[in-house]
Amino acid sequence: MQSTSVKPNYGGDEVAALVLDFGSSSLRAGYAGDDTPKAIVSTSFGYTEEQAASNGDVPMGDESTPEGEQPQAPKAKAKLYIGQNGPSLWRSGMQVGNPMHDGLIQNFDAVPPLINHALAEVMRCNPAEHPVLVTEAAWNTPANRERMAEIMFEEFQVPAFYIANTGVLNAFAAGKGSALVIDIGQSTASVTPVVDGFVLRKGLQHCALPQLVHAHAKHLLTSPTSTRPGIQLIPHQLIANKTPVDVGVLPKYTLREDRIAGTTDSWRAWAEAHEVDEWIQSVGGCLVQGWNEVFAQQQGPRHYEFPTGYNNFFTGLERFAVGEQYFTHSTQLQASNPNLPKTIPALIMSAIGQTDLDLRQVLLGNVVLTGGGSLFAGFADRLATEMSRQFPHVKIHAPGNPTERRYGGWLGGSILASLGTFHQLWISREEWQEHGKAIVGQRCK
Amino acid sequence: MAASAADVRSILAIPEPPAAGSSQPAKKPQGTERAKKPEGIPRELYALIGPHVPTLTAQFTKPRLKQKPNLAGGGRVKWHVPPTWEWRPFKNGARSDGLRLSHWTKAGTDPETDYQFAKYNIQGTPYVYTHEEYTRLLDDSSWTKEETDYLFNLVREYDGRFYVVHDRYEYPNGPQRSLEDLKERYFGVCRRLIRNRPWIGDEASKKALLDSLTFDKDREVARKDYVASLEHRTPEQITEEDALYLELEKLKENERRFRKDRDELLRTLCGIESGLPDIQVDEDGLAGATFDTKKKKKGVAGSVEPQTPVTPSANTVIALPQPQPKKTSAKSAAYGASPATHLLHLEPTIVVDALHCIVRTEVEQTSSSTKAAHVPVHLRSYKIAQPKAALAPRVTQVLSELGISHSRLVMPTRDNLTKFAALIDAAQQLVEIKKAVDKHDQDIQTTKARLAALRGETVEDGDVPQTPMDVDEGAVDAEGEVDGRAQSVVSTRSVRSRKQGRRSMSVSSVDTTGGPNKRQKQR
């Protein structure tokens, strides 16, 4: 691509770097310079323990802390199922785990297998030959990033490593150096002020709002109403057969009794969450102009069928109440739950309130909306109305391409790691061996 | 193909080619012969017929295409070869370690050349101070040396991005520092260091550097306060502000209009003595606007006194055209500077004008005195005589019958214009007279009719419609239509039909009464 004789016009110089982007729902991996990740692997993984699944609640890596040098140890005990044939394939006694919590990697034991799956099994490349850029949430702890560096250098033998912030990378993916990045993920919503490629940590805001939305939807489905009974969220893996039924009629299906005994609670929870997510994505929505019961009712019902065969029309009221959770909380909900996650407008307000007065105009003129959760129907429009009510001059950059929106962090990393001027920032193997963990904090600001 | 050329020749009894040595040398010429084989002829056929049948050659040769361009250069035709690239490790000069990453690069380039992106690795000049310097110059009661060191480290680390520095500033057990505090300390230290160190360059560059490092904390804080207060306005305040702004704009507009009117009045009354420039730049023009607003602001703030007319100054003189007699005298004075020439040119303007084809027109005195003062420069074609508005349609009709376009003169020379004006005048008169005649005719008719009625005689119906023209204003539709039919022009509306009717009349009338007009024109 580049040579000393060819004048670069965009500053790119590709060194075949790999970009790894950890998210709560999926791990994205691919070559720097591409526009979409090559491997998208579900972060949730299944595992079976060799012993009887009596202590299923204990995450498999709890005893690994003393023997940090040999992370292979728990692998001997637990068999992992990762990727396409991972948790979605029912296995007797299989638990489902997820290393991510609150946007951070909390359990590093499953991380090397996940990375190995994405790089070696999906992409079929040898990480020892490529420099690797990994992303992190803006509120990542120093210990966490150092652990990640250790994994990459010691286990994957990468020649060079860098860890970059998803907020900054999302801004880069939108072509901006300074931006207010609103990232709606699967488990966490965050608002990150980025100035000149640096996160302003004081203005950083994040909360588990998507989980609240999810819980609300689940409650809405499972609790009986005047017109319908509570809906059973039984995944298709547990259903032997079913017969079509009319709208609103109780479903006729038979369970796979042979599987009931071997189904673990964690797998069940994962599968139910999957059903709820499916429902939200196909039925849920946001009212663009704010909550209006009459208007919501006018939007009309939408039909949805569950794996059990139960199907019904969901009214506009139900559908839009789900999306409304992102923007307003009802007073009774606030009264009953003091630790309620902040709404998106509240997050933005507090993030902007923490930044310097001179920066506010810059940030509000460069709002970047990203994350798979922001693809929620009507979300971008609603955000635009909410923000234009609060602030006079707001410009929201929301990529229309869903791939770009979902993998904005990865895309930014792909751009960053293929820039010629970036290659001086890699932490090389030599530096890692010389300086140890301290180099990570020094280099990746 | 078993049959060789020799075999065929022997079959056809053609004599052997003369070079008949051993078989080894005989092959050589055959090879060269084959090389000369024209394109498009099958090899076997060529071997049979040999190179001696030109017609066949012509038939079989493919049409030759245009030769491909020689991109690679060089004397021989050599197709462009894409450069080869290779995956090669490179040394990045911006790195302190020996990391060799690889990239694609053109083969044949020097592997040890500087990495092309290394040059973008620019470090700012960090300011450092010794302990001795700190105690001597930089001591500050509110800052310890350790905290100052910490600040300088951060500024260097973030390349002077103070927003980020302030964000990351977490000095343990230190007081809360605002962004302005940090900036003041940093720039203050830098300035003191520069002032007290020996300076290599000239004074100007030192001053420029010091200027670039100035930071007025109080001013910045005040500015931020203003920004904050601006941001914390309530909606009511904002609407009030908008309303006030609109009010102010209205006042400005009023005053501007007033001033314009007053200037015009002054100009009308005093002429040149008013001292006002005659040709006014549009008040809304850029220069005028800024000038205006300044004045208006002053006016709003202080006393609203009417502006006294400016005394004529250099710039007003330029724009003022002098009245005709004065001008001539001035001209004569100018030309008559030397007495000798004065004798020769008794009436210098006339001579000069004739010489230079200058024609002086007298300023037309229009009826209203207000606009008499000045006639600006204009194109003559703008001044084409127009008929009176009331008579315009009829006059234009007359003109069009004459085949003259009333709105456009092909050659609006001075003579043509006067002639045209006279023509219009005549046409107007003609129309007016015609109108009067018609009116009288009509009167006569009606009185006759009334008289007849009084006498008890019945008047034949035919009399009234036979009037050559309908009454000017009170024309009845029916009458008009009758006229229109007479014209054999399909008329739908009374007005139109009336016009049509008039047309028939005017043609004849122009013929008869247009005599003087034509004569005038020919004159």
Side-chain angles (χ1 to χ4, degrees):
Chain A
M1 177 118 331
Q2 298 299 327
S3 85
T4 41
S5 62
V6 177
K7 200 168 183 188
N9 50 1
Y10 62 98
D13 184 18
E14 290 174 20
V15 296
L18 298 173
V19 180
L20 274 177
D21 180 21
F22 266 98
S24 298
S25 70
S26 62
L27 160 65
R28 281 77 73 169
Y31 289 105
D34 283 3
D35 53 1
T36 44
K38 283 261 187 290
I40 298 161
V41 179
S42 167
T43 320
S44 294
F45 58 92
Y47 64 95
T48 49
E49 290 173 10
E50 296 300 299
Q51 308 101 309
S54 56
N55 55 348
D57 297 329
V58 182
M60 49 150 209
D62 261 14
E63 66 278 9
S64 72
T65 27
E67 50 208 68
E69 300 305 304
Q70 296 125 337
Q72 303 292 326
K75 261 202 211 165
K77 280 185 226 154
K79 184 162 170 51
L80 295 186
Y81 303 97
I82 296 169
Q84 274 192 314
N85 298 330
S88 53
L89 217 60
W90 185 90
R91 290 178 183 89
S92 176
M94 183 178 73
Q95 312 258 13
V96 173
N98 191 326
M100 306 291 285
H101 184 258
D102 191 27
L104 303 183
I105 300 173
Q106 298 292 349
N107 180 358
F108 273 94
D109 297 306
V111 168
L114 277 169
I115 295 175
N116 186 57
H117 180 88
L119 298 186
E121 284 169 47
V122 181
M123 286 176 68
R124 297 269 165 205
C125 71
N126 180 5
E129 292 169 359
H130 304 273
V132 177
L133 180 125
V134 183
T135 67
E136 59 169 0
W139 54 96
N140 203 6
T141 60
N144 246 347
R145 54 192 352 210
E146 282 163 14
R147 181 84 178 90
M148 181 54 92
E150 193 181 336
I151 288 174
M152 296 318 293
F153 278 120
E154 306 299 336
E155 287 186 38
F156 290 97
Q157 306 289 329
V158 295
F161 168 82
Y162 193 81
I163 191 157
N165 194 300
T166 45
V168 175
L169 295 183
N170 271 307
F172 286 170
K176 297 172 193 297
S178 302
L180 185 73
V181 179
I182 302 174
D183 188 346
I184 317 290
Q186 195 201 35
S187 70
T188 317
S190 67
V191 177
T192 318
V194 177
V195 173
D196 283 350
F198 290 97
V199 170
L200 295 188
R201 292 191 188 138
K202 282 174 182 148
L204 173 66
Q205 298 285 326
H206 67 102
C207 67
L209 187 60
Q211 290 173 35
L212 177 87
V213 175
H214 182 94
H216 177 269
K218 188 170 182 182
H219 177 76
L220 194 98
L221 290 176
T222 51
S223 54
T225 66
S226 57
T227 53
R228 64 155 193 263
I231 296 163
Q232 291 165 299
L233 298 169
I234 299 169
H236 66 87
Q237 287 97 330
L238 297 183
I239 291 168
N241 60 59
K242 59 183 175 186
T243 46
V245 291
D246 281 344
V247 170
V249 178
L250 282 181
K252 288 183 194 130
Y253 64 97
T254 47
L255 281 174
R256 293 186 68 153
E257 296 295 342
D258 55 326
R259 285 190 169 183
I260 298 298
T263 303
T264 61
D265 288 345
S266 63
W267 187 84
R268 186 95 187 215
W270 174 86
E272 283 186 359
H274 189 73
E275 294 307 323
V276 174
D277 278 339
E278 292 269 309
W279 179 81
I280 292 176
Q281 280 159 29
S282 36
V283 169
C286 260
L287 285 182
V288 174
Q289 293 299 332
W291 183 248
N292 179 348
E293 216 161 280
V294 180
F295 188 69
Q297 198 64 54
Q298 280 170 0
Q299 296 305 300
R302 200 171 275 184
H303 184 253
Y304 187 80
E305 182 174 331
F306 290 92
T308 54
Y310 177 82
N311 62 93
N312 208 338
F313 284 97
F314 292 89
T315 61
L317 218 53
E318 287 171 308
R319 288 165 43 207
F320 291 104
V322 178
E324 194 60 25
Q325 298 298 316
Y326 279 115
F327 293 97
T328 48
H329 293 327
S330 65
T331 42
Q332 74 222 37
L333 191 66
Q334 275 169 330
S336 63
N337 189 351
N339 294 326
L340 213 58
K342 280 183 181 173
T343 59
I344 299 289
L347 283 177
I348 294 169
M349 280 306 276
S350 46
I352 286 289
Q354 298 292 318
T355 52
D356 195 89
L357 278 168
D358 296 341
L359 285 176
R360 288 181 190 175
Q361 212 40 63
V362 177
L363 292 176
L364 287 171
N366 294 290
V367 177
V368 173
L369 180 65
T370 186
S374 70
L375 289 170
F376 198 84
F379 189 96
D381 294 334
R382 176 65 182 276
L383 184 73
T385 38
E386 290 283 338
M387 288 194 78
S388 57
R389 268 178 211 161
Q390 295 286 345
F391 309 103
H393 307 292
V394 178
K395 193 152 184 286
I396 298 180
H397 174 97
N401 180 355
T403 317
E404 218 168 291
R405 191 91 74 84
R406 291 172 74 188
Y407 309 127
W410 185 90
L411 181 60
S414 163
I415 292 168
L416 183 65
S418 59
L419 287 181
T421 44
F422 172 73
H423 300 318
Q424 68 187 63
L425 287 174
W426 293 107
I427 300 167
S428 69
R429 205 170 170 70
E430 187 186 328
E431 283 170 318
W432 169 257
Q433 280 157 356
E434 192 178 326
H435 303 281
K437 290 178 175 177
I439 186 83
V440 182
Q442 284 169 26
R443 190 62 61 79
C444 313
K445 294 164 195 169
Chain B
M1 254 330 119
S4 73
D7 295 339
V8 173
R9 284 201 187 91
S10 68
I11 292 165
L12 296 177
I14 298 170
E16 281 280 310
S22 64
S23 64
Q24 258 329 45
K27 267 191 178 172
K28 277 270 174 181
Q30 214 174 2
T32 51
E33 237 174 280
R34 194 165 288 161
K36 274 189 265 167
K37 173 180 88 78
E39 292 272 319
I41 301 179
R43 186 169 48 81
E44 294 85 355
L45 180 61
Y46 184 70
L48 282 172
I49 60 176
H52 306 297
V53 193
T55 50
L56 270 181
T57 321
Q59 257 181 9
F60 275 99
T61 36
K62 280 182 195 159
R64 289 182 66 104
L65 297 173
K66 205 167 80 180
Q67 201 163 31
K68 284 186 185 169
N70 182 8
L71 293 169
R76 293 177 62 199
V77 177
K78 196 174 120 195
W79 302 125
H80 174 65
V81 181
T84 49
W85 294 73
E86 58 185 26
W87 183 253
R88 207 161 58 189
F90 63 94
K91 174 92 187 79
N92 190 343
R95 293 191 67 93
S96 55
D97 64 340
L99 175 70
R100 308 275 285 195
L101 297 166
S102 302
H103 64 175
W104 284 107
T105 183
K106 256 186 189 163
T109 49
D110 181 15
E112 290 309 314
T113 47
D114 255 2
Y115 184 50
Q116 54 173 334
F117 292 103
K119 62 171 183 274
Y120 298 114
N121 183 30
I122 301 162
Q123 306 286 345
T125 47
Y127 288 96
V128 282
Y129 45 83
T130 60
H131 188 77
E132 190 263 332
E133 268 178 323
Y134 186 86
T135 46
R136 193 162 53 85
L137 301 168
L138 311 172
D139 216 10
D140 192 307
S141 57
S142 59
W143 287 79
T144 62
K145 177 159 192 303
E146 286 71 34
E147 195 174 356
T148 313
D149 290 349
Y150 177 75
L151 169 68
F152 270 68
N153 274 335
L154 273 185
V155 172
R156 195 175 57 246
E157 195 173 329
Y158 293 109
D159 294 328
R161 293 180 177 92
F162 272 93
Y163 294 120
V164 185
V165 168
H166 177 240
D167 183 67
R168 305 290 159 93
Y169 197 86
E170 271 168 11
Y171 187 68
N173 308 320
Q176 191 74 28
R177 304 277 189 196
S178 71
L179 180 60
E180 285 74 32
D181 291 337
L182 301 181
K183 275 190 177 174
E184 191 197 25
R185 178 65 180 158
Y186 180 80
F187 288 125
V189 168
C190 291
R191 263 177 294 151
R192 249 175 272 171
L193 283 177
I194 290 169
R195 268 200 216 106
N196 290 290
R197 276 176 183 173
W199 184 257
I200 305 156
D202 54 346
E203 279 304 303
S205 63
K206 181 173 179 176
K207 192 169 178 308
L209 184 62
L210 280 175
D211 283 347
S212 74
L213 291 170
T214 40
F215 181 75
D216 188 348
K217 185 187 168 188
D218 295 334
R219 206 166 137 249
E220 275 295 294
V221 171
R223 186 183 68 81
K224 283 242 170 109
D225 284 347
Y226 283 136
V227 175
S229 66
L230 197 67
E231 211 158 89
H232 292 125
R233 284 175 306 170
T234 60
E236 292 81 46
Q237 282 170 325
I238 292 173
T239 47
E240 192 186 339
E241 220 165 84
D242 286 351
L244 279 176
Y245 178 75
L246 276 181
E247 197 73 13
L248 179 68
E249 283 295 303
K250 255 184 233 163
L251 281 175
K252 276 185 192 170
E253 180 57 35
N254 272 345
E255 191 153 339
R256 204 174 297 152
R257 202 180 305 136
F258 166 75
R259 212 169 73 105
K260 204 170 160 192
D261 288 354
R262 195 201 55 198
D263 284 359
E264 211 153 90
L265 199 65
L266 268 177
R267 208 175 296 126
T268 314
L269 292 179
C270 315
I272 310 157
E273 278 70 36
S274 72
L276 291 164
D278 286 276
I279 300 155
Q280 279 249 318
V281 183
D282 195 337
E283 295 259 345
D284 295 327
L286 263 179
T290 50
F291 179 68
D292 252 346
T293 45
K294 257 185 212 163
K295 271 196 179 151
K296 290 296 135 60
K297 265 182 197 160
K298 223 191 274 171
V300 168
S303 56
V304 191
E305 52 175 356
Q307 263 188 305
T308 48
V310 201
T311 48
S313 58
N315 66 333
T316 55
V317 169
I318 296 165
L320 287 179
Q322 305 252 326
Q324 201 65 22
K326 272 189 186 174
K327 207 173 211 169
T328 41
S329 65
K331 269 260 166 66
S332 62
Y335 277 93
S338 63
T341 48
H342 187 68
L343 283 175
L344 279 174
H345 308 286
L346 285 173
E347 200 61 280
T349 30
I350 293 168
V351 178
V352 170
D353 287 357
L355 199 66
H356 296 285
C357 301
I358 293 170
V359 179
R360 295 186 186 278
T361 49
E362 271 166 47
V363 178
E364 271 182 64
Q365 287 286 333
T366 39
S367 53
S368 64
S369 60
T370 48
K371 290 188 176 176
H374 175 73
V375 178
V377 176
H378 59 271
L379 288 180
R380 208 182 272 125
S381 56
Y382 289 174
K383 291 284 172 181
I384 294 173
Q386 292 291 333
K388 274 183 206 161
L391 301 172
R394 280 165 210 176
V395 172
T396 51
Q397 208 169 353
V398 171
L399 287 180
S400 61
E401 273 164 26
L402 291 173
I404 297 168
S405 162
H406 73 283
S407 59
R408 193 173 141 270
L409 275 184
V410 178
M411 199 68 80
T413 60
R414 209 162 139 263
D415 290 349
N416 280 354
L417 269 187
T418 44
K419 276 181 189 168
F420 187 70
L423 174 63
I424 294 267
D425 230 27
Q428 272 176 20
Q429 278 177 15
L430 173 65
V431 168
E432 264 165 12
I433 288 165
K434 179 67 192 157
K435 213 187 208 173
V437 168
D438 287 349
K439 195 158 187 297
H440 286 303
D441 268 358
Q442 190 67 27
D443 281 353
I444 290 163
Q445 290 283 342
T446 42
T447 21
K448 269 184 183 168
R450 207 183 296 154
L451 197 62
L454 282 174
R455 282 180 186 164
E457 289 174 19
T458 49
V459 187
E460 283 174 36
D461 282 347
D463 272 9
V464 180
Q466 272 172 2
T467 46
M469 256 201 71
D470 51 2
V471 190
D472 166 39
E473 242 59 46
V476 194
D477 279 9
E479 285 175 350
E481 260 166 26
V482 170
D483 280 345
R485 228 179 292 136
Q487 293 311 312
S488 84
V489 175
V490 181
S491 53
T492 48
R493 298 216 169 241
S494 61
V495 184
R496 218 208 229 155
S497 58
R498 235 183 289 148
K499 272 183 192 167
Q500 301 285 7
R502 190 130 309 152
R503 189 178 168 194
S504 71
M505 297 316 297
S506 55
V507 173
S508 60
S509 57
V510 165
D511 276 339
T512 50
T513 54
N517 196 8
K518 271 186 179 167
R519 247 179 286 136
Q520 204 178 9
K521 222 178 165 186
Q522 284 158 354
R523 212 187 294 151

